[in-house]
Amino acid sequence: MMKHHILLLATSAVFALSACSPDPCKDVNCLNEGICVEGDCVCPPGFEGTDCGTEQRMAFVGNYSVVDDCNLGSFTYEITISATADAGTEVTIHNLGDFDFSITGVVSGNTITITDQNGTGSTVNGSGTLSNGVLQLDYTLVTTSGQTLSCNMTANIIE
């Protein structure tokens, strides 16, 4: 009988102590389907910030002045990066390689990845990073005639 009283007393003490502990997520509002864990928001892919309110891809959006160093020469031109219609991780890159077509890139943090996709018959893939308004992107473009263009692109956002 004494063991039951001690167990009951110990259980009551644990419940009393846990009832006194404030919920660290009580006043935390995580946006974009973020989840509060121990008072901090854990953000879903494509979002960041203390409340998951910042779309990572938005840092990439803008007009860029490009210098391409490629196996076939150096080129200068402009590209435009825009957010796709749905919230998430995708952006549209228009005029990559100074070819008048659009392709899709996937953003994760400060990186962008272009998986094999077609732009008016050419196949494009590559990856790069954005830092302080400068996008460094290595990409390969294979034309419909089989010619391969391998480039190291440096793109500066135009203010």
Side-chain angles (χ1 to χ4, degrees):
M1 184 84 161
M2 182 68 158
K3 287 183 183 177
H4 293 293
H5 288 305
I6 291 174
L7 182 59
L8 182 60
L9 183 60
T11 304
S12 297
V14 168
F15 283 124
L17 288 175
S18 65
C20 293
S21 298
D23 178 4
C25 291
K26 179 183 176 198
D27 295 323
V28 177
N29 183 25
C30 300
L31 304 173
N32 298 305
E33 299 181 16
I35 299 169
C36 182
V37 176
E38 297 296 320
D40 294 319
C41 290
V42 177
C43 303
F47 295 93
E48 62 187 5
T50 57
D51 65 354
C52 301
T54 303
E55 280 189 79
Q56 293 172 337
R57 68 183 179 160
M58 295 311 288
F60 286 80
V61 171
N63 297 314
Y64 292 81
S65 173
V66 173
V67 175
D68 260 347
D69 289 319
C70 305
N71 60 322
L72 301 178
S74 293
F75 309 95
T76 59
Y77 58 95
E78 291 185 5
I79 62 170
T80 300
I81 299 179
S82 57
T84 57
D86 297 329
T89 59
E90 292 184 350
V91 293
T92 300
I93 305 167
H94 182 74
N95 203 38
L96 184 67
D98 204 17
F99 295 100
D100 189 24
F101 60 79
S102 296
I103 57 170
T104 301
V106 177
V107 172
S108 177
N110 70 333
T111 64
I112 187 168
T113 303
I114 303 165
T115 55
D116 283 336
Q117 58 192 283
N118 290 326
T120 62
S122 300
T123 303
V124 182
N125 65 55
S127 63
T129 57
L130 179 69
S131 178
N132 298 319
V134 178
L135 176 60
Q136 298 285 339
L137 181 72
D138 295 329
Y139 70 94
T140 302
L141 186 143
V142 180
T143 66
T144 53
S145 64
Q147 187 176 29
T148 300
L149 185 67
S150 297
C151 299
N152 304 98
M153 179 183 85
T154 301
N156 292 287
I157 197 156
I158 300 169
E159 298 296 329

